[in-house]
Amino acid sequence: MNLYQLDFSPTGGTKKAADALCAGFGLPVSRIDLCNSQTNFSSLSFSRQDLCVFGVPSFGGRVPAPAAQRMAAMRGNGALAVLLVAYGNRAFDDTLIEMKDLAQKAGFRCVAAVAAIAEHSIARCYAAGRPDASDAKELKDFGKNILAHIKDDSLPEDLAVPGNRPYRAFGGVGMIPMPDASCTYCGTCAALCPTRAISISDPAQVDAARCISCMRCVSVCPEHARHADAAKVAATETKLAKLCADHKINELFL
């Protein structure tokens, strides 16, 4: 069995969760970065001997548009798929069911799903530091559990996951990070932007239609020179205060 980890992880939390889950399979892992805008995802083709772990963050209860497009472009050819959604302690709404629909349409067999808690990419005070060591152990155990079901051939014919169709509407966040005076024009943010929204020659130039407010540019800036608007971040924290008050737990769906 070949194990592939395909994650869209702008700020690293989803990758950490997927890393921990994949560790439970005890197999060598080939990682495919769904944030990489240079990859030709339509060239990716798998087989029935492959196990693919897809990891995405929940953006407003949905799969981020670039991740959805890249999943849809692949050819599953009957490969097994484990779906992982990471969310910042509010809710993942319709993300898992959308992932399932995308994976099945691309030819994957969905056998398990996981909802994992990861630090909120904008309001970093929520689920701060997660997934932590305890989460990592639990996610690794989830991986072991899934592998046992695969080996026993006790897989669901139709994996049941939470969510609704039609999916909830997503209107975007509209929070575009900008550089401050300490920006050195190194181009890291532009090179690593999942949607190529940032100008290579001038990082202050951002295509608002392409920007998905994923905060990758903030996360990868070597000078810590890129920031979202502080007032908007504070407003988001206030808006989410009640919704994120409870300590959410990781969940496994088999």
Side-chain angles (χ1 to χ4, degrees):
M1 180 184 295
N2 301 310
L3 177 60
Y4 294 90
Q5 177 178 323
L6 306 97
D7 58 77
F8 186 88
S9 186
T11 59
T14 301
K15 181 182 181 298
K16 284 175 65 177
D19 285 346
L21 179 65
C22 286
F25 293 106
L27 297 168
V29 184
S30 297
R31 180 175 179 248
I32 298 171
D33 183 5
L34 296 181
C35 282
N36 190 342
S37 64
Q38 306 298 322
T39 300
N40 177 12
F41 291 96
S42 63
S43 69
L44 298 181
S45 182
F46 301 92
S47 74
R48 292 183 70 86
Q49 288 70 49
D50 296 331
L51 172 60
C52 297
V53 175
F54 288 96
V56 306
S58 181
F59 279 15
R62 296 286 303 278
V63 177
Q69 293 161 5
R70 291 160 192 177
M71 285 182 66
M74 302 174 194
R75 288 167 287 169
N77 298 313
L80 300 180
V82 175
L83 314 173
L84 180 146
V85 58
Y87 69 105
N89 212 55
R90 183 190 69 82
F92 56 89
D93 300 305
D94 300 332
T95 312
L96 272 183
I97 200 165
E98 185 179 8
M99 286 184 78
K100 176 187 171 184
D101 291 345
L102 286 163
Q104 287 184 332
K105 189 172 182 180
F108 294 91
R109 294 177 290 152
C110 299
V111 296
V114 170
I117 313 302
E119 185 173 302
H120 199 285
S121 60
I122 295 175
R124 306 302 290 260
C125 58
Y126 299 120
R130 298 185 72 184
D132 55 23
S134 177
D135 293 317
K137 181 182 182 303
E138 184 172 35
L139 292 168
K140 183 177 180 179
D141 288 342
F142 285 176
K144 292 178 180 178
N145 193 345
I146 295 168
L147 182 62
H149 279 76
I150 292 173
K151 288 182 175 179
D152 292 343
D153 199 23
S154 55
L155 301 171
E157 288 190 14
D158 184 21
L159 177 67
V161 296
N164 299 288
R165 302 184 188 94
Y167 316 129
R168 64 177 290 155
F170 177 62
V173 176
M175 196 178 299
I176 300 175
M178 299 299 289
D180 61 26
S182 63
C183 174
T184 63
Y185 292 78
C186 70
T188 300
C189 59
L192 297 180
C193 176
T195 62
R196 305 186 195 181
I198 304 171
S199 168
I200 292 286
S201 59
D202 183 2
Q205 298 297 317
V206 181
D207 186 337
R210 286 177 175 266
C211 179
I212 58 170
S213 304
C214 70
M215 303 297 141
R216 185 171 179 81
C217 57
V218 174
S219 179
V220 302
C221 177
E223 303 297 329
H224 306 289
R226 205 166 186 95
H227 315 277
D229 181 87
K232 290 184 177 180
V233 172
T236 298
E237 291 176 352
T238 300
K239 180 180 179 180
L240 293 175
K242 290 184 178 180
L243 297 172
C244 294
D246 296 334
H247 182 86
K248 301 295 196 305
I249 61 172
N250 305 301
E251 299 175 83
L252 172 63
F253 304 95
L254 280 170

